[in-house]
Amino acid sequence: MEPVIKLIKNRSDIGAGTRGSDMGVDAIEIAAINQNSDYFNQFPFEDVKTHNESVYDKNRSTFAKRIEHVAEQCTRVCASVKKNLEANFFPIVLSGDHSSALGTISGIKAVYPEQKLGVIWIDAHADLHSPYTSPSGNIHGMPLAAAIADDNLDCQINELATETQHYWEEMKNIGCKGAKVLAENLIYFGVRDTEEAENKQIEKLKIRNYKVDEVRYRGLKTCVKEALDKLSNCDILYISFDVDSMDCDLISYGTGTPVPRGFDQYEIIAIIDQIIETNKVVCIEFVEVNPLLDNKGNKMAETAFEVLEHITATVILPRE
């Protein structure tokens, strides 16, 4: 049966260190309009209520900024994804900052508690920090630590207040209790800007990272096939695409934490297309377009829309 797309628009940026990714969804819509595309009229959508006004609150936790509001936002995203999966939609989640991915993963797991979930994380960053290890306190760098329920206490540098600990435990148990994905079923593409605590986690947990140079040297199809073989025991897959996985010098600096020497949009499309063709993908998420930081007009959103439009066509393409 042909998947029925549902767009979930989550204009939240409270997990980021820089304001503006809350405008990313609208920037992508403007890109579509400027290309005379009716993409956003083709599919049903829903808006997730946000808590963006909390950026004006005094940060009570230096090591997990606005954690109480991020926990609430992730819970909202979880509920939206869960509801739409249960209604047999294929959710494409368009979010601001990457902390939202915890909500998305939690929503998927709430619907498929007995299924083994594989996560393909296309990003310049590992997002494996916890409040115990984070040097910045920005929660968009923590969603995977919560999703795998591993605080990496071996690398602890921060002492948390009781309130922060409470909300962090709450985040790890959104949707259903405990880990949503096993580290062995998490695969990175393009991660190239990490810190020591994350590097130690990647090594300890043996998380596979297909760096840009390796993908280009060994061949994109070969690397994606190898990744999918590693995830062959997974029943369902989720793809999280952070636009900073793309080369900021080639594309644009229109994202919160731009990193050079990344993929181009055609490589991103090819990676996602090959994963979709497994028929195991149940949800895809786009994050971290920040038009306020774009040095080329609306270039990052335009490029993200190019990827979005193409991979959507692959999702709805009839396959045996």
Side-chain angles (χ1 to χ4, degrees):
M1 186 173 67
E2 182 179 296
V4 180
I5 301 292
K6 182 72 166 286
L7 302 177
I8 298 176
K9 303 176 185 180
N10 173 42
R11 296 176 176 86
S12 177
D13 71 347
I14 58 175
T18 306
R19 306 278 66 82
S21 61
D22 59 321
M23 302 178 186
V25 177
D26 297 298
I28 294 172
E29 291 195 28
I30 289 167
I33 291 168
N34 288 342
Q35 293 178 32
N36 295 315
S37 169
D38 66 345
Y39 179 92
F40 286 94
N41 292 323
Q42 293 178 32
F43 307 106
F45 72 91
E46 70 178 59
D47 292 302
V48 180
K49 182 182 177 183
T50 64
H51 220 318
N52 290 338
E53 71 279 1
S54 68
V55 299
Y56 300 109
D57 296 346
K58 184 177 180 181
N59 293 326
R60 289 198 294 273
S61 172
T62 306
F63 307 125
K65 296 171 183 174
R66 295 174 289 278
I67 189 169
E68 67 275 27
H69 301 306
V70 176
E72 183 179 15
Q73 193 63 31
C74 286
T75 301
R76 290 169 176 164
V77 173
C78 171
S80 177
V81 170
K82 178 176 183 290
K83 177 185 69 178
N84 284 290
L85 284 172
E86 288 174 339
N88 294 317
F89 284 111
F90 185 104
I92 296 180
V93 185
L94 305 176
S95 286
D97 77 80
H98 216 165
S99 64
S100 62
L102 173 62
T104 305
I105 291 170
S106 299
I108 295 169
K109 195 63 179 175
V111 177
Y112 303 106
E114 303 303 320
Q115 304 269 30
K116 190 168 288 188
L117 173 62
V119 171
I120 296 97
W121 199 261
I122 306 172
D123 198 329
H125 305 91
D127 294 344
L128 264 181
H129 276 298
S130 75
Y132 298 96
T133 67
S134 175
S136 71
N138 297 323
I139 302 179
H140 70 164
M142 307 183 197
L144 284 176
I148 67 172
D150 190 323
D151 297 337
N152 193 14
L153 295 179
D154 291 344
C155 297
Q156 181 175 355
I157 58 172
N158 303 321
E159 292 294 333
L160 303 190
T162 302
E163 184 183 33
T164 303
Q165 291 177 336
H166 165 78
Y167 284 114
W168 180 243
E169 291 304 313
E170 182 180 304
M171 288 184 69
K172 289 191 288 185
N173 290 293
I174 291 171
C176 55
K177 289 187 176 181
K180 311 301 183 292
V181 60
L182 301 175
E184 66 194 49
N185 295 325
L186 165 64
I187 290 181
Y188 289 132
F189 274 87
V191 170
R192 59 196 184 278
D193 184 14
T194 55
E195 283 136 349
E196 184 180 359
E198 294 177 304
N199 292 334
K200 288 183 176 180
Q201 274 292 72
I202 291 169
E203 183 179 359
K204 182 182 80 173
L205 299 173
K206 297 181 172 58
I207 300 171
R208 186 67 164 92
N209 177 21
Y210 289 93
K211 295 186 177 181
V212 177
D213 288 347
E214 179 184 357
V215 170
R216 290 175 178 167
Y217 178 74
R218 294 183 59 212
L220 186 147
K221 287 188 175 180
T222 298
C223 291
V224 176
K225 182 182 183 302
E226 188 175 279
L228 292 172
D229 287 344
K230 188 174 188 298
L231 299 178
S232 60
N233 64 331
C234 292
D235 304 297
I236 53 176
L237 300 175
Y238 156 72
I239 302 171
S240 199
F241 167 48
D242 187 324
V243 297
D244 70 24
S245 60
M246 296 188 292
D247 190 323
C248 60
D249 292 326
L250 178 67
I251 308 296
S252 153
Y253 278 68
T255 186
T257 45
V259 185
R261 297 185 297 279
F263 293 115
D264 64 35
Q265 69 267 42
Y266 308 110
E267 291 169 314
I268 297 294
I269 288 169
I271 291 168
I272 295 176
D273 274 356
Q274 191 172 339
I275 299 166
I276 291 171
E277 287 166 4
T278 63
N279 288 326
K280 289 184 176 183
V281 180
V282 297
C283 181
I284 301 173
E285 186 161 11
F286 281 56
V287 301
E288 296 282 1
V289 172
N290 189 331
L292 295 185
L293 302 176
D294 205 315
N295 60 329
K296 298 179 181 178
N298 199 33
K299 180 66 173 177
M300 184 61 85
E302 291 167 356
T303 307
F305 177 65
E306 183 180 353
V307 177
L308 175 63
E309 192 171 40
H310 189 106
I311 65 100
T312 301
T314 306
V315 169
I316 61 180
L317 186 71
R319 285 185 295 278
E320 294 182 3

